[in-house]
Amino acid sequence: MLILPLARKPDWRRPPVVTLLVVAVNLAVFFLLQHDDHRHSRASEELYLGSPLPEIELPRYADFLEERGRYGRAREVREAVEEGPEARAWALWELQGDGRFLEGLHGGEVVAPEDPVHDEWRRARAAFEERLEAVASQRWGFKPAQPAPEDALAHMFLHGGTGHLVGNMVFLVLVGYVVEAVVGGLLFFGVYLLGGLLATGAFAAVYSHSAVPLVGASGAISGLMGAYVVLFGRRRIPFFYSLGFYFDFARAPAVLLLPVWVALEAYQLLFGGVSQVAYVAHIGGLVGGGLLGAGLHAAGRVDLEFLDRDEQEERDTADLEQGLEHLAKLELDAARARFAALLERRPGHREALSNLYTVARYQPHSDEFHRMAHRIFALPENDPATLRFKRETFRDYVATAKPRTRFDPGQFVELASRFATGGYPEEAVPMVDALLRQGRMHPRLPRTLMVVARALTRQGQRERARGYLQALVERFPDAEEALEAQELLGHPDPAG
């Protein structure tokens, strides 16, 4: 069974830099340091099989197994000695993965110094181990029977093959960037490393005598997965699940995935048969990551806004859709309530504003209609989409408002300036004309006249631009902009 959380798309305005760096390091280690691992491993195996070591070590390993009651495995090793290179290769890696036997081997208990073959064995063993050191996964993989702090960290960036690497990196990207967005890059990396170390510790506790090198980022990624679901807690998240031939999508409280994941790993460990997958490390990572996530929550080091965004978007979508349904049926009070609830949570929500304006438009003489129009005009953003929204609303408001539009000079000046700056001087012209005609002066009107003049000039309407510059000089001779207008009027091109 596979359960994969489906997080939202990354926000590339705030890219998951640390997640991408961790992915890059994993890829670099694999393709730059491990690209020859298979060749080096094969070469070390051939060196072993072509040396006296199989005849010296493998029978003694079989004896070692028998002494510990592992008669079936001892028999298989003895048969391998007789069967040939392929079987002997299997027996070699069994021996190399047995930490207790290797401890006795290196301690002089298996081939004692007084043994007639000791010198020959020692030279052959030294040559083999030197060749084996060229295999990155053997050199830097974590071996519980021979623990080293540097290996506990290094093994998280090693992989056993391309499939192993790709699978881990997919999970790392899917889960990692969300954790990074919630807690920040530094804490994300801390969870990655600490989760990996806890996974390694669980593996070492269960397989303390193993000399098989543990490699792969899956323990650290399991730590991120444990932290991920605990950070989201009871918030419902979407996820994909597969039961072999059947698969589907569902939503559930995030934290429920943690016991499910742990149970799946435990089931595979107990009933999945022989496998190269480190299920114990996965369990350790999941539990450890969950504890780390709980600790970050308790310390207040999480971005709650990011965590709540999915549920907020669901509520926003529900309010918008239901409001539109009410509006289509002309159930104006019900529609207004839905759009207003959305706008209260999201004050700048464009569609909520637009639809509330539409609701109010059914009563163009009402205070609500004028208030909603001015709320749109007051939006602080000046991007092209917002300016178009304001322009469309302005045109409709001028044509619809009863008995007339409601503007004070400050609002008129501000809106005219924004239209002119945004490339819509045709909207600004009648506004400043009305102010000039009515003699309703405002402190910001000189600057608006200058903005309108420059916008008209950019559109090639130089004569109209000169008219506003002349009005600026005549009406506001003491204004700072009047000096600038005089200079432009003396220039053949007022844009100058």
Side-chain angles (χ1 to χ4, degrees):
M1 182 176 181
L2 172 67
I3 298 179
L4 184 65
L6 300 174
R8 67 178 71 96
K9 294 179 180 179
D11 181 358
W12 293 110
R13 293 170 298 181
R14 294 172 55 197
V17 175
V18 181
T19 299
L20 296 176
L21 284 174
V22 173
V23 171
V25 170
N26 277 277
L27 294 174
V29 168
F30 184 78
F31 289 108
L32 298 179
L33 299 182
Q34 290 190 267
H35 66 285
D36 274 342
D37 262 12
H38 180 74
R39 182 172 63 83
H40 288 310
S41 181
R42 183 64 180 169
S44 63
E45 182 181 292
E46 290 174 353
L47 177 65
Y48 185 93
L49 297 177
S51 73
L53 292 176
E55 284 76 16
I56 298 173
E57 293 183 350
L58 296 181
R60 301 179 192 221
Y61 181 48
D63 294 341
F64 172 85
L65 293 172
E66 285 181 349
E67 289 170 5
R68 282 150 182 78
R70 300 176 63 187
Y71 300 109
R73 185 53 55 91
R75 184 175 61 255
E76 291 174 353
V77 172
R78 292 192 193 283
E79 290 173 353
V81 176
E82 303 298 329
E83 287 179 8
E86 186 174 340
R88 287 187 174 191
W90 166 83
L92 157 64
W93 299 117
E94 285 289 307
L95 179 156
Q96 282 298 122
D98 193 324
R100 285 175 294 190
F101 180 76
L102 289 180
E103 183 180 359
L105 189 67
H106 292 126
E109 298 173 12
V110 176
V111 185
E114 61 273 14
D115 195 306
V117 298
H118 179 269
D119 290 344
E120 181 183 25
W121 166 81
R122 182 171 53 79
R123 288 191 296 271
R125 169 50 73 164
F128 167 68
E129 292 185 349
E130 182 180 358
R131 181 63 62 88
L132 198 60
E133 278 287 293
V135 183
S137 58
Q138 289 285 338
R139 182 177 182 182
W140 296 106
F142 180 79
K143 307 177 187 71
Q146 304 160 10
E150 61 272 21
D151 295 347
L153 289 173
H155 85 278
M156 301 181 205
F157 301 93
L158 299 169
H159 289 85
T162 305
H164 187 203
L165 173 72
V166 171
N168 276 346
M169 293 305 99
V170 168
F171 271 86
L172 175 54
V173 170
L174 285 174
V175 177
Y177 88 83
V178 177
V179 176
E180 181 176 349
V182 172
V183 302
L186 185 61
L187 288 176
F188 156 80
F189 191 56
V191 172
Y192 180 86
L193 292 180
L194 287 175
L197 290 174
L198 291 169
T200 304
F203 184 83
V206 175
Y207 301 106
S208 58
H209 297 295
S210 174
V212 176
L214 176 68
V215 298
S218 56
I221 294 169
S222 295
L224 292 174
M225 292 169 68
Y228 172 96
V229 295
V230 170
L231 288 169
F232 274 87
R234 289 179 292 179
R235 296 171 179 83
R236 295 170 64 83
I237 63 169
F239 61 90
F240 167 84
Y241 68 94
S242 172
L243 300 170
F245 60 90
Y246 179 79
F247 61 89
D248 203 350
F249 299 88
R251 297 184 73 89
V255 74
L256 292 183
L257 293 185
L258 183 58
V260 172
W261 275 333
V262 171
L264 287 174
E265 296 294 333
Y267 177 84
Q268 292 292 334
L269 174 66
L270 297 174
F271 305 108
V274 177
S275 174
Q276 298 293 321
V277 180
Y279 295 113
V280 170
H282 295 176
I283 294 171
L286 286 167
V287 174
L291 293 173
L292 292 170
L296 291 170
H297 248 310
R301 301 300 299 273
V302 299
D303 183 348
L304 295 176
E305 181 182 346
F306 184 93
L307 291 174
D308 293 332
R309 196 173 302 165
D310 286 339
E311 290 189 352
Q312 179 175 297
E313 287 176 358
E314 283 185 19
R315 291 196 301 271
D316 293 350
T317 301
D319 277 339
L320 185 61
E321 290 177 350
Q322 291 176 29
L324 289 171
E325 289 176 7
H326 289 307
L327 185 57
K329 299 174 184 177
L330 295 182
E331 298 169 351
L332 300 183
D333 289 341
R336 182 185 296 108
R338 285 294 180 180
F339 297 138
L342 172 53
L343 195 61
E344 184 177 355
R345 292 194 304 271
R346 304 276 297 278
H349 197 283
R350 190 74 51 79
E351 289 180 274
L353 275 172
S354 177
N355 285 298
L356 275 172
Y357 174 81
T358 300
V359 170
R361 191 175 184 275
Y362 283 91
Q363 295 179 309
H365 59 280
S366 67
D367 290 341
E368 179 190 11
F369 178 62
H370 295 284
R371 185 171 62 252
M372 290 310 306
H374 283 285
R375 187 164 179 176
I376 292 170
F377 301 148
L379 287 172
E381 297 84 6
N382 287 315
D383 58 277
T386 303
L387 283 170
R388 284 195 299 272
F389 180 42
K390 291 180 181 180
R391 180 195 188 201
E392 292 165 4
T393 304
F394 175 76
R395 287 184 169 183
D396 182 81
Y397 177 63
V398 169
T400 308
K402 303 295 182 183
R404 64 182 65 85
T405 61
R406 298 180 188 175
F407 283 105
D408 63 40
Q411 292 171 324
F412 237 42
V413 166
E414 177 66 22
L415 195 56
S417 181
R418 290 195 177 194
F419 282 149
T421 304
Y424 300 120
E426 68 275 13
E427 307 294 350
V429 163
M431 300 171 77
V432 295
D433 283 350
L435 289 171
L436 292 172
R437 184 171 58 253
Q438 297 168 11
R440 301 174 70 186
M441 301 307 157
H442 189 274
R444 293 201 302 274
L445 183 54
R447 173 48 51 188
T448 301
L449 288 169
M450 178 61 68
V451 169
V452 170
R454 287 190 178 279
L456 290 170
T457 301
R458 284 194 295 270
Q459 291 190 351
Q461 302 183 52
R462 292 181 173 81
E463 287 305 314
R464 294 185 71 186
R466 294 179 71 84
Y468 287 109
L469 292 174
Q470 189 66 47
L472 172 55
V473 172
E474 293 173 357
R475 299 288 188 94
F476 304 94
D478 297 327
E480 202 177 292
E481 291 80 7
L483 294 175
E484 184 180 356
Q486 287 177 337
E487 292 179 6
L488 292 175
L489 286 168
H491 195 282
D493 181 0

